[in-house]
């Protein structure tokens, strides 16, 4: 019987893809593909990044008879790298730790360093994230642009002036700035701040290399956390390389991000979402005609799909860097109900084509790269790890995109296969009496090994697992956490409740004002529906959830039928959260209370009725009803849902346990763990691994039954485990 540690360590050996590009030195018959990956290093508690080359030989019949993989190269302290348009040069941004961190821009050519520029005295940390991060070449290969933190003033007064940072995942990062490197004379210039203290990011060069196009993030009059938030006030702008002729490109739109210029420089596409309200929602794809400056909509917001499985709209955080398959057609991936799929979009007609249909590709596909001949993507399912695909674009008479996919590489690590191959998954939809926007991904363990699994029994216990957000969603893709639980003998229900992305904008908005009620009741309906199928043990239902998912399971704990619960950085008290979260207006948004980011209220919760509304929808309202064993997992550096939310709930329950005299009993189990050096996602390697061990062991401890030999086992036999705290680990 494997432990959570053994299962996690095996699955953690599978690397994940973070990027891929076809290098310019490729030919018609031979592709040189640079692949970027990462892997957990459990000995050093770090995530290692590395690259390797995949050489694919294209046969005369467009088959791929030969694939050669080069050895992987650890990229170490390289923050970002990018090949030049011709492929002759590669730019690398590197930060080297030491007594004082140092920053370098490296230009490589023909396998060696061509030019090395130290920038430590010019700016602070580079930005390599998807929100601000940039590293781009000009088409003539004479310039580079990237984004870095501006040096803080050493003026005796100004150095102490408070400037808010950009919140969760951006702690200490306050002043991202555009940096231009002139490769003719190696001059490095940090562009001046923009009017209104706007922060720039996602910069690209204009077609003629004379100006920059970028996303501007507004923070006047108030800073709001930016990561995972598509509803922020943003715009697209251009500026000459010398800092003159600042222009607005996105017209009157209050939201614009992810600019992508087509190959001939005539059209700029970008994403736009509704501002205020839900933090993520259905996006519009818009475009700018470069010659006229006209802004128009290519794909509008979809209120409701035309059919049950019809196109639900675009749900894209950032567009792929390389996405043009022609001067008028792009490739992107987007949520489509409980999966992610590839879409082809004609930017002239607005026609949308699903490239990877659910009937043929039931899992999830992520676009990494596209050009006029090829598409590179990854594919996985809940029981199949990531593989790297090459799609060959064929000529088509009806202007449809005909793509033939081949597998370039997949996981060759043998040990983890025992923890994903035997299991199964399905989509649970159309639950009687529920909205059609409710859908669940159900993972089930191998029936052959159930009675000898960690939880034992003749039927598996069920884990109800709602996602966070609330406006996000589960996709049918590989997850180490889910497979650890399934390999221990649990069935896992990943609940895409109403409000999840991928089901139409009406579904997103249907949850607004009903959090703590609609989402909670739908999780109960999923539980009851799965139990009615007779495939799980009705007496062993437990749950877990993080962030808003923790908020949901916090509400569900008022139901005494649940056997155990693990909450990860949960929202427990919305009014208290408004004053301390980096997105304090979130409580207004999910409860349908107006909040204008352009003119925020002088004082949050100044209205007593608003306070009451937010408090009533909070799990703290019924903490005294909780009887199930609970475990709280918190990140000490969480800026989104600061740990005091979890601590306060835990302390309130401790008080209730003592008041009821339940110390030392099952109803008195109320544990808490704090992970230093990590934030809301608990995604440092140390926090991820140890929180997963704790979560899985806790659920096993309070749902397992005594082992019953096959010959004498009966349905539901055995008693609930009462093992001690360290009995399983």
């Amino acid at each position: 019987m494997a432990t959570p540690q053994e299962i996690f360590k095996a699955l953690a050996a599978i690397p994940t893809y973070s990027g891929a590009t076809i290098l310019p030195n490729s030919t018609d018959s031979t592709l040189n593909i640079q692949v970027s990956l990462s892997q957990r290093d459990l000995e050093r508690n770090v995530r290692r990044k590395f690259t390797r080359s995949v050489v694919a030989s294209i046969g005369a019949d467009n088959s791929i008879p030969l694939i050669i993989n080069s050895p992987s190269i650890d990229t170490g302290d390289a923050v970002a790298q990018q090949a030049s348009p011709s492929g002759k040069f590669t730019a690398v941004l590197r930060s080297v730790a030491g007594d004082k961190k140092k920053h370098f821009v490296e230009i490589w050519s023909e396998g060696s360093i061509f030019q090395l520029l130290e920038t430590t005295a010019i700016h602070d940390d580079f930005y390599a994230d998807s929100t601000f991060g940039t590293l781009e070449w000009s088409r003539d290969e004479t310039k580079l642009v990237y984004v870095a933190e501006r040096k803080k003033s050493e003026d005796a007064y100004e150095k102490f002036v408070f400037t808010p940072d950009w919140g969760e995942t951006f702690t200490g990062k306050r002043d991202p700035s555009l940096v231009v490197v002139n490769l003719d004379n190696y001059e490095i210039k940090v562009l001046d701040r923009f009017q209104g203290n706007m922060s720039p990011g996602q910069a690209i060069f204009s077609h003629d290399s004379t100006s920059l196009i970028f996303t501007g993030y507004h923070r006047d009059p108030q800073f709001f956390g930016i990561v995972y938030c598509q509803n922020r006030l943003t715009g697209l702008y251009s500026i000459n390389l010398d800092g003159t002729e600042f222009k607005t490109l996105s017209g009157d739109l209050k939201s614009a991000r992810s600019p992508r210029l087509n190959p001939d420089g005539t059209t700029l596409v970008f994403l736009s979402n509704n501002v205020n309200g839900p933090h993520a929602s259905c996006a519009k794809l818009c475009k700018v005609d470069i010659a006229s400056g006209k802004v128009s909509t290519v794909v509008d917001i979809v209120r409701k799909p035309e059919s049950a499985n019809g196109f639900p709209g675009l749900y894209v955080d950032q567009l792929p860097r390389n996405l043009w398959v022609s001067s008028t057609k792009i490739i992107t991936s987007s949520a489509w109900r409980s999966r992610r799929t590839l879409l082809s979009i004609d930017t002239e007609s607005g026609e949308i084509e699903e490239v990877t249909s659910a009937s043929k590709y039931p899992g999830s596909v992520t676009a990494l790269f596209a050009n006029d001949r090829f598409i590179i993507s990854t594919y996985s399912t809940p029981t199949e790890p990531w593989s790297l695909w090459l799609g060959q674009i064929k000529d088509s008479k009806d202007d449809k995109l005909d793509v033939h996919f081949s597998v370039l590489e997949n996981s060759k690590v043998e040990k983890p296969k025992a923890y994903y191959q035997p299991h199964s998954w399905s989509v649970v939809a159309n639950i009687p009496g529920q909205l059609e926007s409710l859908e669940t991904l159900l993972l089930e363990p191998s029936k052959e090994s159930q009675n000898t699994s960690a939880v034992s029994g003749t039927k598996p216990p069920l884990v109800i697992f709602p996602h966070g957000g609330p406006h996000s969603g589960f996709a049918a893709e590989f997850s180490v956490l889910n497979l650890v639980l399934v390999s221990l003998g649990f069935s896992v229900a990943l609940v895409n409740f109403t409000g999840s992305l991928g089901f139409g904008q009406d579904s997103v908005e249907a949850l607004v004002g009903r959090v703590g009620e609609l989402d909670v009741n739908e999780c109960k309906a999923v539980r009851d529906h799965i139990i009615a199928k007779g495939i799980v043990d009705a007496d062993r239902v437990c749950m877990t959830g993080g962030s808003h998912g923790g908020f949901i399971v916090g509400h569900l704990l008022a139901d005494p039928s649940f056997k155990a619960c693990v909450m990860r950085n949960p929202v427990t008290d919305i009014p208290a959260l408004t004053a301390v979260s980096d997105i304090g207006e979130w409580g207004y948004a999910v409860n349908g209370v107006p909040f204008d980011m352009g003119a925020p209220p002088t004082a949050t919760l100044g209205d007593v009725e608003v306070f009451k509304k937010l408090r009533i929808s909070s799990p703290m309202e019924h903490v005294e009803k909780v009887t199930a064993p609970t475990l709280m997992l918190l990140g000490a550096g969480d800026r989104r849902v600061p740990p005091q939310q979890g601590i306060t709930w835990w302390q309130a329950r401790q008080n209730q346990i003592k008041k009821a005299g339940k110390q030392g009993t099952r109803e008195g189990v109320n544990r808490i763990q704090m992970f230093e050096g990590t934030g809301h996602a608990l995604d440092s390697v140390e926090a991820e691994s140890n929180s997963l061990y704790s979560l899985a062991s806790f659920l096993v401890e309070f749902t397992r039954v005594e082992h019953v030999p096959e010959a004498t086992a009966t349905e539901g036999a055995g008693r609930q485990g009462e093992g001690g705290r360290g009995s399983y680990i």
Side-chain angles (χ1 to χ4, degrees), residues 186-261:
Y186 300 108
E187 177 187 24
I188 301 173
K189 181 179 181 181
V190 180
L191 299 192
D192 292 339
R193 289 188 179 92
F194 295 103
Q195 186 176 5
N197 210 18
M198 176 180 66
S199 289
Q202 304 179 340
I204 57 175
F205 283 95
S206 62
H207 191 68
D208 61 7
S209 302
T210 62
S211 61
L212 296 172
I213 297 167
F214 62 93
T215 301
Y217 297 87
H218 299 277
R219 48 186 180 182
D220 183 19
Q222 183 175 337
F223 275 59
F224 297 95
I226 191 70
V227 71
Y228 316 129
C229 300
Q230 302 164 359
N231 65 338
R232 300 312 193 213
L233 296 168
T234 55
L236 293 188
Y237 305 94
S238 69
I239 191 169
N240 287 346
L241 296 180
D242 60 5
T244 62
E245 292 194 37
F246 177 84
K247 298 178 183 177
T248 300
L249 301 179
S250 49
D252 296 331
L253 291 172
K254 294 183 178 181
S255 165
R257 68 181 186 283
S258 208
R260 302 292 186 263
L261 192 64

Side-chain angles (χ1 to χ4, degrees), residues 708-728:
V708 181
E710 293 279 349
T712 60
T714 58
E715 290 194 10
R719 65 178 179 82
Q720 295 295 330
E722 299 286 348
R725 182 168 186 171
S727 63
Y728 189 69

Side-chain angles (χ1 to χ4, degrees), residues 690-711:
N690 285 282
S691 65
L692 188 151
Y693 303 157
S694 296
L695 183 158
S697 297
F698 187 84
L699 295 183
V700 168
E701 179 182 347
F702 292 102
T703 59
R704 73 171 179 262
V705 296
E706 297 297 337
H707 173 69
V708 181
E710 293 279 349

Side-chain angles (χ1 to χ4, degrees), residues 251-391:
D252 296 331
L253 291 172
K254 294 183 178 181
S255 165
R257 68 181 186 283
S258 208
R260 302 292 186 263
L261 192 64
N262 72 344
D264 58 18
T266 59
T267 303
L268 181 77
V269 295
F270 62 93
L271 297 168
S272 178
N273 286 70
N274 293 335
V275 299
N276 303 317
H279 285 62
S281 60
C282 187
K284 291 196 295 186
L285 181 70
C286 301
K287 68 176 181 180
V288 180
D289 179 81
I290 296 298
S292 67
K294 180 183 177 182
V295 179
S296 57
T297 298
V298 178
V299 179
D300 210 341
I301 292 170
V302 174
R303 300 302 312 184
K304 185 177 180 179
E306 293 182 358
S307 63
N309 295 308
F311 174 62
L314 290 175
Y315 303 89
V316 183
D317 186 50
Q318 304 294 342
L319 294 167
R321 179 181 179 273
N322 297 98
L323 77 170
W324 293 94
V325 296
S326 73
S327 61
T328 61
K329 190 171 288 189
I330 67 169
I331 289 289
T332 189
S333 42
S334 178
W336 191 312
R337 299 188 72 86
S338 297
R339 51 189 288 272
R340 190 166 49 254
T341 189
L342 284 187
L343 301 177
S344 165
I345 303 174
D346 190 307
T347 60
E348 288 189 341
S349 67
E351 183 179 356
I352 300 155
E353 179 186 352
E354 186 181 16
V355 180
T356 49
S357 64
S359 59
K360 193 172 182 180
Y361 307 102
S364 289
V365 188
T366 300
L368 301 180
F369 175 93
N371 63 19
D372 60 345
R373 291 190 60 203
F374 301 101
I375 298 169
I376 301 177
S377 63
T378 60
Y379 178 77
S380 76
T381 74
T383 56
E384 179 184 352
W386 307 274
S387 56
L388 187 69
W389 286 7
L390 177 69

